[in-house]
Amino acid sequence: MQFKHRREDEWSVIDYYMEEYNVTAQEAYDVFNKYIESAWKDINQGLLKPAEMPAEVVNRSLNLSRVMDVLYKEGDGYTYVGKKIKDAITSLLIEPTTL
């Protein structure tokens, strides 16, 4: 997914990676998606082990990771809010869940 820069000095980590390693945007996204997948594996593995940290701190960190995953999984959903993100927020905060 390619976004136009609003200013000349507004580059993303993907832009820097493409410049540094002379790769296409898709190749850069593929590399970062592998990093993300590996990080999720680390997070899940860490949750299976007892921790010295209070559960509240661990849960807040996990929830922040989940939000970042939803917002950035398919591009910059924070800066460029689309229907998918709006629907997710509506589903989570506005529409009641039936039990």
Side-chain angles (χ1 to χ4, degrees):
M1 182 174 292
Q2 187 76 20
F3 295 111
K4 292 183 179 179
H5 300 293
R6 289 178 283 182
R7 298 186 321 227
E8 257 184 52
D9 62 340
E10 193 174 276
W11 279 39
S12 70
V13 69
I14 297 294
D15 295 317
Y16 285 110
Y17 191 90
M18 289 169 52
E19 181 79 19
E20 171 123 2
Y21 295 101
N22 196 28
V23 297
T24 66
Q26 187 58 54
E27 290 170 321
Y29 278 111
D30 291 345
V31 168
F32 280 89
N33 283 331
K34 286 181 185 176
Y35 288 140
I36 292 167
E37 185 177 326
S38 176
W40 273 116
K41 287 178 183 177
D42 292 343
I43 289 169
N44 288 328
Q45 189 175 26
L47 290 171
L48 295 174
K49 298 176 185 175
E52 294 177 17
M53 197 163 299
E56 294 84 9
V57 174
V58 173
N59 286 336
R60 287 182 185 182
S61 299
L62 176 61
N63 287 336
L64 177 61
S65 299
R66 289 173 174 159
V67 168
M68 294 298 108
D69 190 56
V70 168
L71 286 176
Y72 293 103
K73 186 121 184 153
E74 296 177 16
D76 187 350
Y78 180 79
T79 304
Y80 307 98
V81 178
K83 182 173 177 10
K84 193 170 191 175
I85 296 298
K86 288 179 183 178
D87 289 346
I89 292 170
T90 301
S91 174
L92 180 66
L93 300 176
I94 297 172
E95 295 174 354
T97 303
T98 57
L99 297 177

